[in-house]
Amino acid sequence: MDASLCDIWFELQTARIDLMKAVEARLELDLQERCQQSIARIRRDLHDHRRLLDDLVDMHAAMEQTKLFTVQRNDPQHDGMTTLVSRTTLELLQAQTQRLQETQQQLREARQSLDERRLIEQAKQLLIHRHKLEEGEAYAMLRQSAMRHSRCIEDVARRLLATAGRVQAQR
């Protein structure tokens, strides 16, 4: 083999490796940027959920403090108005009780939704760090596992985190 060809081949391969290194560096920067954007979006979502939860808690506390006063006259004379006022007060009390129950249910659902989302996010982060996945890939892996085992994604996330906790405790 001609020695001059060896030098050319070596230079070409060196240039190729240098270009591949530049591509790798660019991909790494893109990945870091996407991760930062994803983390920022998740933090905004978490902040919004916490604000909603705080609003619901405040609403619940305000409703707990609301007191109804019966507006009745203590006249021995019965003119029909006492019955009407009592009935209206009872209807108001029932409506307020129903609104309070609905608000409590909304609060429970918001808390449950937030807890489920937190579990999924923690499981995704675990997969991202352990398997060097992107966020979408980690979520797809959780979703596929849930479908494969006929479970909801929150149960898969909960089991993954529990298993990871046990493995971590054994180390």
Side-chain angles (χ1 to χ4, degrees), residues 94-107:
Q94 289 172 340
Q96 187 176 25
T97 300
Q98 183 177 357
R99 281 193 308 271
L100 178 60
Q101 289 171 347
E102 290 170 356
T103 302
Q104 288 172 337
Q105 180 62 29
Q106 289 173 346
L107 178 61

Side-chain angles (χ1 to χ4, degrees), residues 56-103:
L56 287 173
V57 167
D58 291 344
M59 257 175 49
H60 174 71
M63 288 187 148
E64 286 289 322
Q65 292 175 355
T66 304
K67 301 210 186 287
L68 284 178
F69 296 97
T70 303
V71 182
Q72 285 185 341
R73 293 179 56 168
N74 290 329
D75 285 345
Q77 183 182 20
H78 188 277
D79 60 359
M81 285 301 290
T82 303
T83 305
L84 180 61
V85 170
S86 294
R87 194 172 341 133
T88 304
T89 304
L90 180 59
E91 290 169 358
L92 181 62
L93 179 60
Q94 289 172 340
Q96 187 176 25
T97 300
Q98 183 177 357
R99 281 193 308 271
L100 178 60
Q101 289 171 347
E102 290 170 356
T103 302

Side-chain angles (χ1 to χ4, degrees), residues 29-42:
L29 288 174
D30 287 346
L31 179 60
Q32 285 177 347
E33 184 179 320
R34 287 183 184 183
C35 287
Q36 289 172 350
Q37 290 171 351
S38 180
I39 289 170
R41 182 181 43 80
I42 290 167

Side-chain angles (χ1 to χ4, degrees), residues 2 18 27 37 43 49 53 72 83 100 110 121 145 158 162:
D2 187 9
D18 290 343
L27 288 173
Q37 290 171 351
R43 285 187 176 146
H49 281 91
L53 188 58
Q72 285 185 341
T83 305
L100 178 60
E121 289 301 323
S145 180
R158 188 176 290 111

Side-chain angles (χ1 to χ4, degrees), residues 5-171:
L5 289 177
C6 289
D7 289 337
I8 292 172
W9 180 85
F10 183 78
E11 287 176 22
L12 288 173
Q13 294 305 318
T14 301
R16 181 174 169 239
I17 290 172
D18 290 343
L19 290 173
M20 287 173 54
K21 180 65 179 163
V23 168
E24 179 184 3
R26 181 63 191 154
L27 288 173
E28 183 180 348
L29 288 174
D30 287 346
L31 179 60
Q32 285 177 347
E33 184 179 320
R34 287 183 184 183
C35 287
Q36 289 172 350
Q37 290 171 351
S38 180
I39 289 170
R41 182 181 43 80
I42 290 167
R43 285 187 176 146
R44 282 191 309 271
D45 288 349
L46 182 59
H47 175 71
D48 291 344
H49 281 91
R50 283 184 177 156
R51 193 182 63 219
L52 174 63
L53 188 58
D54 289 342
D55 290 348
L56 287 173
V57 167
D58 291 344
M59 257 175 49
H60 174 71
M63 288 187 148
E64 286 289 322
Q65 292 175 355
T66 304
K67 301 210 186 287
L68 284 178
F69 296 97
T70 303
V71 182
Q72 285 185 341
R73 293 179 56 168
N74 290 329
D75 285 345
Q77 183 182 20
H78 188 277
D79 60 359
M81 285 301 290
T82 303
T83 305
L84 180 61
V85 170
S86 294
R87 194 172 341 133
T88 304
T89 304
L90 180 59
E91 290 169 358
L92 181 62
L93 179 60
Q94 289 172 340
Q96 187 176 25
T97 300
Q98 183 177 357
R99 281 193 308 271
L100 178 60
Q101 289 171 347
E102 290 170 356
T103 302
Q104 288 172 337
Q105 180 62 29
Q106 289 173 346
L107 178 61
R108 280 191 295 275
E109 290 172 2
R111 284 181 176 156
Q112 181 180 358
S113 176
L114 184 59
D115 289 342
E116 290 170 354
R117 187 175 183 103
R118 189 178 302 128
L119 272 176
I120 293 170
E121 289 301 323
Q122 288 172 348
K124 283 193 317 190
Q125 290 302 315
L126 179 71
L127 291 173
I128 287 169
H129 291 296
R130 287 222 175 135
H131 300 287
K132 307 295 184 224
L133 300 174
E134 290 191 19
E135 183 180 1
E137 293 172 318
Y139 184 78
M141 186 180 282
L142 286 172
R143 189 180 68 235
Q144 288 170 354
S145 180
M147 290 169 54
R148 187 174 37 252
H149 298 293
S150 299
R151 297 192 180 275
C152 64
I153 197 166
E154 295 84 13
D155 288 344
V156 172
R158 188 176 290 111
R159 286 176 170 228
L160 175 65
L161 292 170
T163 302
R166 285 194 300 267
V167 168
Q168 188 73 6
Q170 291 175 355
R171 288 184 182 174

